[in-house]
Amino acid sequence: MSPVLDTAFIPPQDREEVVRNAVWESMVAVEIDHGPPAEDISVRIGLGAVGPLKICSARATAVTLSRTERLARKDDEPAVTLGIQMAGSSMVVQNGRECPLGPGHCAVFESIAPYTLLYDEGVDHRFIRFPRAALALPDRLLRDMTAVALGPDNPVASLAFTYFSQLAVTDELHGGGHADAIVEPSVELLRAALTTQHGNSGLAKAPLEATLGLRINQYIREHLADRDLSAARIAAAHGISVRHLYAVLSRSGISLGDWIRTRRLAECRRELAGPDGRLRTVAAIGRRWGFVDATHFSKVFKRTYGISPRAWRDQDRPRA
């Protein structure tokens, strides 16, 4: 993974702010306390993504990262981050546990609870951030497994270390069909590492059905712009029948067609009102979010919001 941030090219007085902004925007909001003075701070960060998985590869001088209670309370996209120790040592603190990590070890920590990451000797670490719902594991198991070392004594965890440490720095896997092909196996491998470390791999199965609605919801959000998004495709992606899909959604009071249309309209409304709203035609924005017929799009938009998409764009984006 090529570094996208290197403090060697940033004036010392700006380094702390630049690093903070990069971490907050790409991974998670944390307080960052650098060990050395500004002129001695050295940080190289590479960023990437594999579908919904966010990736960060970092080398840096000594630093402490703190996810405070205030920041954790504001979390609107709960996530579980896998930290992979490549060299040196570090400490993960969460849920009353202190977990020292050495080379070949990894550990997870949750965004919805405070945690501290201590890198007194500097950072040589890789991070992969998973949507919490995608793991489909019980809350209690995740709490039990935060700040617990996953190491060579667990063969599945050892496999996970090798796999994820390579995934984090292999650019060819971060886009296109390759990325689509490895998201689900990556999620399943982390699930397997956590459940085997917990001592009951059977726990990995029951939550799949219990969290099916959440995973379907997440899948739809990720594929809203796909014109071929259909009940058959959604069902196939989750290994269930279309009938089962409708039953799951019905239990949550969701009508699939209405749900998709409402969220697509919301994305169109947001894009039309945004800074780039005038760079594309109204019809093009509608097509981007699955509305192939421009006339139908305008009618549905006006029926929903009481204003045409063109009038909404012009009202919200007055000419200079």
Side-chain angles (χ1 to χ4, degrees), residues 7-8 10-13 15-16 34-43 60-62:
T7 53
I10 299 171
Q13 67 271 19
R15 290 175 182 174
E16 292 188 37
H34 294 274
E39 61 270 19
D40 295 327
I41 291 175
S42 175
V43 179
T61 44

Side-chain angles (χ1 to χ4, degrees), residues 79-272:
V80 174
T81 299
L82 175 69
I84 305 162
Q85 185 76 36
M86 300 306 300
S89 63
S90 66
M91 176 84 74
V92 181
V93 181
Q94 189 172 46
N95 292 330
R97 287 185 292 275
E98 296 183 354
C99 172
L101 297 179
H105 288 82
C106 47
V108 297
F109 38 95
E110 294 187 277
S111 65
I112 60 173
Y115 62 75
T116 302
L117 309 180
L118 302 166
Y119 300 98
D120 292 340
E121 300 176 2
V123 181
D124 190 350
H125 219 78
R126 294 168 190 172
F127 304 89
I128 302 182
R129 178 178 167 94
F130 295 76
R132 198 172 190 274
L135 290 173
L137 288 171
D139 292 347
R140 178 60 183 272
L141 185 148
L142 284 175
R143 283 196 300 271
D144 288 347
M145 292 310 302
T146 55
V148 171
L150 306 172
D153 56 331
N154 178 343
V156 180
S158 182
L159 172 65
F161 174 89
T162 301
Y163 173 84
F164 287 118
S165 62
Q166 288 300 308
L167 174 62
V169 294
T170 306
D171 292 337
E172 294 80 5
L173 295 176
H174 297 172
H178 296 302
D180 294 338
I182 63 174
V183 170
E184 185 173 349
S186 298
V187 171
E188 292 302 320
L189 179 55
L190 181 56
R191 283 168 49 81
L194 293 174
T195 54
T196 54
Q197 187 76 25
H198 190 270
N200 188 347
S201 57
L203 288 173
K205 298 178 181 179
L208 284 174
E209 178 64 26
T211 60
L212 183 56
L214 288 174
R215 291 184 290 117
I216 289 171
N217 185 306
Q218 177 189 340
Y219 180 87
I220 295 172
R221 288 180 182 277
E222 291 171 359
H223 296 275
L224 267 180
D226 298 353
R227 294 184 185 180
D228 63 344
L229 185 63
S230 64
R233 177 182 164 185
I234 297 166
H238 293 85
I240 60 176
S241 67
V242 172
R243 183 177 180 179
H244 190 180
L245 169 68
Y246 280 120
V248 171
L249 295 176
S250 178
R251 289 198 293 268
S252 301
I254 294 174
S255 170
L256 181 60
D258 291 344
W259 197 94
I260 292 175
R261 183 168 53 254
T262 297
R263 276 146 188 80
R264 282 176 167 173
L265 284 170
E267 291 296 334
C268 291
R269 185 172 183 260
R270 176 190 59 77
E271 193 165 326
L272 285 164

Side-chain angles (χ1 to χ4, degrees), residues 45-65:
I45 297 177
L47 301 171
V50 178
L53 313 183
K54 295 182 179 181
I55 297 173
C56 174
S57 178
R59 289 188 176 183
T61 44
V63 68
T64 298
L65 308 178

